Amino acid sequence: MSSAKASGADAGGGGSARSREHNQGNQERKCTPEQRAAVLRIRRCKVTAFYEILDLEAVRASCTDADIKKAYRKQSLLTHPDKNGHEGADEAFKMVSKAFSVLGDKEKRERFDRFGTDPESRFESARTQAQNPFGGGGFGGGGRAAGGAPGFGRGGGMFDDEISPEEMFARFFGGGFGGPFGGGFDGGPQFVFNVGGNRGFRVHQFGGAGPRRRPRADGQPGQQQQASPWDTLVSLLPILILFVFPLLTSLFSGFGESQPSVPTMVFDTPQPPQTYHRTTPRLNVNYFVNPNDIAGWQDHRLRQLDKEAELGFVRVLRRRCDAEMSTKQELFDRAQGWFFPDPDKMKVARDYETPSCKRLDLIGVSR
């Protein structure tokens, strides 16, 4: 009894503070300067600036799938809320996962590079379906990725359309972490939409408990209800809307030659295979493209390419300049202190370089 009391007294004395601190959640979570800088940089990016979010803007024209996976590995480890205690880590982690879900999928990355919009948005999906109603985004999708691994969504990607950032992280790292990252991932309930049946869509659930039979109205299990012509027409309406109408629209829209997508380009210095040199008309910016991408192009198409290259160059510079000025202002804010400014931090803020802003000033373009 005495030893029990002594043990209880010790637990109630010296260990009570630690116990209360543990039970009060994550108010003592810390983050390193590198983690904080990563969160602040990502939060300043636009939600669709996927290359910039993964810190691949400078090499977006030449980065490979391996580079994208390496960038995701780095940024996800820096921003994961279980490892990063910054208040904006959760949102930054979601932005990193979203960027990887687009750039890590070959088809989505091609559509993003071509149109500059989120290929997973509702508008983009509707436009893609209208252009190619029998394309690879139909019902059911693909059950295997390009490498043959089951359960990784359709189109050869490694993630489903509705996968959460946490599940993407777990799949990418294969459950090799301990603690919050450990363990595999279960096959939860999945849903597929089946066109047909009486009056509309029916939803079937796979996984979890055993399937439940749909109750019959008449209570006779052996008798099937005769479908009327109206029911048949209503059941076919989704097929007509999703497939026939877009097909007719594409047939009657003409058979003219579609405009090619803008080829990949790099600025200032060549990076193979982008070795063919061109110069923008107004700002005289040097840029390089793959000669195979523009083989056979006429002069008017090359002049149009020069204009698009100039617009893209200015757009990238302005985006980088905004990020540099935001970082510089934040450094000044930190240097102010509660009562007196910190001279060392103020010097760091003043000396912070803004090369993109200087480049804009040099070529005479407004910020």
Side-chain angles (χ1 to χ4, degrees):
M1 293 296 292
S2 60
S3 61
K5 291 181 180 180
S7 175
D10 180 75
S16 59
R18 291 190 298 269
S19 177
R20 287 195 302 271
E21 181 180 351
H22 173 74
N23 293 331
Q24 286 174 359
N26 57 0
Q27 73 275 21
E28 293 297 330
R29 293 173 57 192
K30 304 294 184 181
C31 64
T32 64
E34 183 181 10
Q35 290 175 329
R36 178 184 178 85
V39 171
L40 294 176
R41 181 190 64 81
I42 293 171
R43 292 293 302 277
R44 284 192 295 267
C45 300
K46 295 182 179 179
V47 293
T48 56
F50 300 134
Y51 286 101
E52 187 176 357
I53 291 173
L54 295 183
D55 202 13
L56 293 173
E57 181 67 31
V59 294
R60 64 179 297 169
S62 58
C63 62
T64 63
D65 292 340
D67 296 331
I68 294 174
K69 291 180 180 179
K70 182 179 179 181
Y72 169 72
R73 175 187 295 272
K74 177 180 178 181
Q75 300 302 325
S76 63
L77 289 175
L78 284 175
T79 59
H80 197 287
D82 288 344
K83 298 294 185 181
N84 189 335
H86 192 276
E87 59 183 3
D90 185 65
E91 185 65 26
F93 179 68
K94 293 179 181 178
M95 293 174 67
V96 170
S97 301
K98 175 66 175 180
F100 182 57
S101 72
V102 174
L103 300 184
D105 186 283
K106 182 178 180 180
E107 295 181 0
K108 294 179 183 178
R109 182 185 178 187
E110 290 177 353
R111 294 204 301 270
F112 174 72
D113 290 340
R114 180 175 181 180
F115 301 108
T117 58
D118 182 4
E120 296 179 347
S121 66
R122 184 174 303 175
F123 173 78
E124 180 67 18
S125 300
R127 181 179 60 153
T128 304
Q129 182 66 28
Q131 291 178 350
N132 186 12
F134 297 102
F139 295 98
R144 289 179 178 268
F152 283 86
R154 67 178 189 232
M158 67 168 296
F159 23 73
D160 301 326
D161 289 341
E162 299 297 335
I163 187 172
S164 66
E166 290 288 350
E167 186 175 359
M168 179 188 298
F169 185 86
R171 292 188 181 189
F172 183 86
F173 290 97
F177 288 84
F181 305 139
F185 41 90
D186 57 1
Q190 303 174 1
F191 300 90
V192 291
F193 290 86
N194 182 28
V195 179
N198 292 330
R199 300 186 182 277
F201 290 81
R202 291 185 300 174
V203 183
H204 301 272
Q205 178 177 351
F206 299 92
R212 294 178 294 177
R213 296 183 179 272
R214 184 177 180 178
R216 297 180 179 273
D218 53 5
Q220 299 180 5
Q223 182 179 358
Q224 295 183 355
Q225 183 178 0
Q226 188 69 24
S228 64
W230 172 253
D231 292 333
T232 303
L233 177 61
V234 171
S235 65
L236 291 177
L237 278 179
I239 299 179
L240 295 176
I241 294 174
L242 294 175
F243 297 106
V244 178
F245 290 164
L247 179 61
L248 294 177
T249 303
S250 62
L251 289 177
F252 288 103
S253 62
F255 300 93
E257 181 182 0
S258 60
Q259 293 294 329
S261 60
V262 178
T264 302
M265 60 185 67
V266 295
F267 297 93
D268 296 333
T269 57
Q271 297 180 7
Q274 285 76 32
T275 57
Y276 184 80
H277 175 250
R278 298 283 301 177
T279 304
T280 62
R282 188 170 63 88
L283 301 177
N284 295 323
V285 176
N286 296 319
Y287 73 97
F288 302 84
V289 296
N290 188 340
N292 297 328
D293 293 342
I294 59 174
W297 282 33
Q298 302 297 328
D299 289 341
H300 71 280
R301 292 170 65 183
L302 291 175
R303 288 194 297 270
Q304 183 64 28
L305 177 64
D306 293 340
K307 295 179 181 179
E308 293 176 353
E310 189 167 274
L311 293 175
F313 178 75
V314 173
R315 183 167 56 250
V316 170
L317 277 185
R318 283 175 174 168
R319 185 163 57 243
R320 292 179 178 176
C321 178
D322 291 340
E324 292 168 358
M325 295 305 296
S326 298
T327 303
K328 191 178 185 72
Q329 183 60 44
E330 185 173 352
L331 291 175
F332 275 114
D333 294 340
R334 293 181 186 175
Q336 293 300 325
W338 287 99
F339 301 102
F340 302 100
D342 189 325
D344 295 334
K345 293 183 178 180
M346 192 66 69
K347 184 178 183 303
V348 172
R350 285 194 299 266
D351 295 341
Y352 184 80
E353 295 290 338
T354 56
S356 299
C357 299
K358 292 181 180 179
R359 184 74 179 272
L360 287 173
D361 296 338
L362 182 63
I363 62 179
V365 176
S366 62
R367 302 181 184 178

